[in-house]
Amino acid sequence: GEWKSETYVLKQQGHSYNMNCASYSPDSLSIATGGDDGKVKVWSTDTSFCYVTFNEHTAGVSDVHFRKSGNVVLSASLDGTVRAFDLYRYRNFRTMTCPTPVQFSCVSCDASG
């Protein structure tokens, strides 16, 4: 029936392994999630469906955070990168790294956005 097909679709859209973090967009219309599968997913709070998946991380995502404008998601990962994703063009437009090997556990953004 309908319920089984909806459950199947949601399982197909979810993270392959554990989900580690989640963050609401400033307008509460989207939720970003990060998982052990290295993926950052952005979900519509209206439809509950994932509308974009970013696969650029090579290890688990430990934190996600929306910029106050709501059009950028930042992600921290155990792969040693912090990435910025553009939610208009659906692309990773900036990757920040540290000169020494690290595993990032959190990310935040200052008041300027």
Side-chain angles (χ1 to χ4, degrees), residues 63-67 74-76 82 105-111 113:
D63 198 16
V64 290
H65 182 80
F66 279 90
R67 270 184 36 188
L74 303 172
S75 60
V82 171
S105 59
C106 57
V107 66
S108 189
C109 198
D110 69 9

Side-chain angles (χ1 to χ4, degrees), residues 1-75:
E2 188 176 330
W3 182 83
K4 285 185 180 181
S5 63
E6 285 180 16
T7 301
Y8 176 77
V9 169
L10 292 176
K11 282 183 180 177
Q12 295 304 304
Q13 291 193 326
H15 289 277
S16 305
Y17 303 106
N18 292 336
M19 184 180 72
N20 297 327
C21 51
S23 177
Y24 272 97
S25 62
D27 61 9
S28 298
L29 296 178
S30 298
I31 298 175
T33 60
D36 280 344
D37 55 8
K39 293 178 180 170
V40 173
K41 293 177 166 282
V42 186
W43 307 77
S44 164
T45 57
D46 186 41
T47 66
S48 301
F49 284 98
C50 175
Y51 62 86
V52 64
T53 300
F54 298 106
N55 300 298
E56 284 81 359
H57 285 295
T58 59
V61 176
S62 50
D63 198 16
V64 290
H65 182 80
F66 279 90
R67 270 184 36 188
K68 71 177 182 179
S69 63
N71 64 331
V72 172
V73 171
L74 303 172
S75 60

